[in-house]
Amino acid sequence: MKDDKKPNLKIIGDNSASGGRYDDAKIIGNGVIKGDLECVTFKSIGDSRLEGNLKAGTVKITGSIHVEGKTTADDIRVTGDLNIDGDFQAGHCHLRGGITTKSGIKADDLSLMGYVTVKKNCEAESFKADGQIKIDGLLTADDIEIKTYGASRISEIGGDRIVIRKGSGSSLGKVIKLLFVPSSWGNAMVTVNSIEGDDIHLSNTRAKVVRGNNVVIENGCDIDLVEYKDNLRVNRSASVREKKKI
Amino acid sequence: MENDLISKKELLELTGISYGQLYRWKRKLLIPEEWFVRKSTFTGQETFFPRDKILARIDKIKNMKDDASLDELADILSPNPSDIEVEKDKLVKEKVVSEVSMDIFAQVLGIPEVFDFQKTLYVYLVDKILSSGEASAEEGKIILKTLAESFLAFEGKQCDLLFVRKLGVSFCLLIEGQRQVSLDPGAKLVSRISIASVVEELKTKLSNGGFSDGKQ
């Protein structure tokens, strides 16, 4: 099937097309695709809407896109707004801007900068995020690194190495703040019900339970209960109500 | 029910695995989502697992992970069919299924040259229930028909095969896994088979028997 030469799709200006299978699909302007789209590369510059599922090798979006179905891609890069109603599955995922999904995310590696809203679970091998993060389900990855730039809320976190810190005041941080994070800057906290991992390093985190082997609690933390196996280090300015070695 | 559950903490202590491993296996679907049971305790929400199942599963993963990659393991353990294809004669010769079950299969669904995993599973299930002596050859056909017609509708979900007899009349049902079923007092539940565990058993059998790479 791979050898079949498929046609290309190009939408320029304010226009719509039906879905189907293409080699290259490109939208410049304001495009609407009605139906499922399957292609090798998908590129969109501008504001587009896909009324169906998207399945592509590489996806590059500058501007905003709304996918009303599922999205599957090997490699996806977005600068702007990504809105997905169905499940989102990807290999490499590089997102700058805003991403909102009404379902879950499954990826190999996920690099995010901006604001993220996920209604279900978010699973990856590596998860790196700078910005404001809202995950209603479980966030799980081998390697989790979060720099929070606003009030983030995650229901549960589980993994191998988990690091949460406050976004730095560097010039890059200021740019992110300026571009992506609107009002809640003053309150750079991550609120989580439970965090479970092998190596955990937290700052600016409010959690009910933290369970791990090696746990470091830095300043700005407010933790109800820490259960640890090997080591626990708590910064003097952090608040931990109960510590238990197991 | 309480005694059949094990808390996550106790599980890690007992098996010596880490949180990282547990979550990795969950992501790879080596541990089904349904086994994560949430309950409220005095420290808030905690996760529990069905004790026997999870201990057996973790034992299995620990034993097999040296020989197979996590993805291969996921394929063996998942309730979804794998892409194995087997020749008809080989299934009988390697004693995966009996000749009798094969005949029944031929009468109901015809005999294909190669058996894909789906068909292998059907004939294996029928063989299992026949060799346990719980059903007759005629009843085996009913089971086979039910499977062929409805099994695919359960795609990806755990599902159980129930075989019921009442006053000499027998019928079979497929229901979503682990759901409770009540029968009228005159009916007798002859057999209840969890298809997911049979799939796992069959996959292990096939991969050990060298079926996947076509060796004799």
Side-chain angles (χ1 to χ4, degrees), chain B:
Chain B
M1 197 61 192
E2 290 290 318
N3 295 333
D4 300 327
L5 293 174
I6 180 169
S7 75
K8 195 187 271 176
K9 214 187 301 170
E10 201 183 337
L11 177 76
L12 295 192
E13 213 170 296
L14 214 66
T15 56
I17 62 168
S18 67
Y19 281 114
Q21 276 172 311
L22 186 70
Y23 279 104
R24 201 170 308 134
W25 295 347
K26 175 187 158 79
R27 282 201 303 279
K28 293 280 182 195
L29 305 177
L30 296 181
I31 302 168
E33 187 77 45
E34 300 96 278
W35 292 7
F36 288 75
V37 183
R38 311 179 143 279
K39 276 177 173 271
S40 300
T41 59
F42 65 97
T43 52
Q45 284 257 329
E46 275 211 60
T47 306
F48 292 82
F49 300 92
R51 180 183 281 269
D52 298 339
K53 281 188 193 161
I54 190 83
L55 286 177
R57 176 60 57 98
I58 284 180
D59 211 44
K60 198 161 188 170
I61 299 172
K62 281 204 314 208
N63 283 331
M64 287 169 79
K65 78 178 161 68
D66 295 334
D67 307 319
S69 72
L70 283 186
D71 289 320
E72 282 163 6
L73 267 180
D75 193 40
I76 292 175
L77 297 176
S78 91
N80 293 327
S82 66
D83 42 15
I84 295 171
E85 284 195 341
V86 197
E87 283 151 41
K88 171 209 160 204
D89 298 338
K90 216 166 162 188
L91 282 177
V92 179
K93 211 163 76 191
E94 299 274 340
K95 296 201 173 67
V96 177
V97 298
S98 68
E99 196 118 14
V100 181
S101 322
M102 208 42 124
D103 284 344
I104 292 173
F105 188 91
Q107 284 169 35
V108 180
L109 299 170
I111 210 91
E113 270 310 300
V114 283
F115 274 72
D116 58 16
F117 187 81
Q118 209 76 52
K119 296 197 177 84
T120 316
L121 176 66
Y122 295 166
V123 68
Y124 185 74
L125 271 166
V126 169
D127 191 62
K128 215 175 161 62
I129 208 160
L130 282 187
S131 57
S132 69
E134 282 161 346
S136 67
E138 216 42 54
E139 288 163 340
K141 286 182 191 168
I142 302 173
I143 294 170
L144 207 50
K145 274 184 198 145
T146 314
L147 283 170
E149 264 166 37
S150 320
F151 180 63
L152 284 181
F154 286 89
E155 190 194 355
K157 276 184 225 145
Q158 307 254 351
C159 117
D160 286 3
L161 174 71
L162 270 62
F163 186 62
V164 185
R165 208 176 269 144
K166 184 184 179 182
L167 301 172
V169 179
S170 53
F171 60 96
C172 93
L173 320 159
L174 283 174
I175 62 162
E176 219 171 286
Q178 281 142 33
R179 290 290 160 84
Q180 200 172 333
V181 178
S182 311
L183 298 172
D184 83 75
K188 182 176 163 21
L189 179 60
V190 182
S191 163
R192 175 172 189 156
I193 300 175
S194 150
I195 295 190
S197 63
V198 175
V199 166
E200 201 184 310
E201 188 182 310
L202 180 60
K203 279 182 182 167
T204 317
K205 214 166 189 168
L206 292 177
S207 60
N208 288 344
F211 281 95
S212 44
D213 41 9
K215 275 183 284 184
Q216 284 303 308

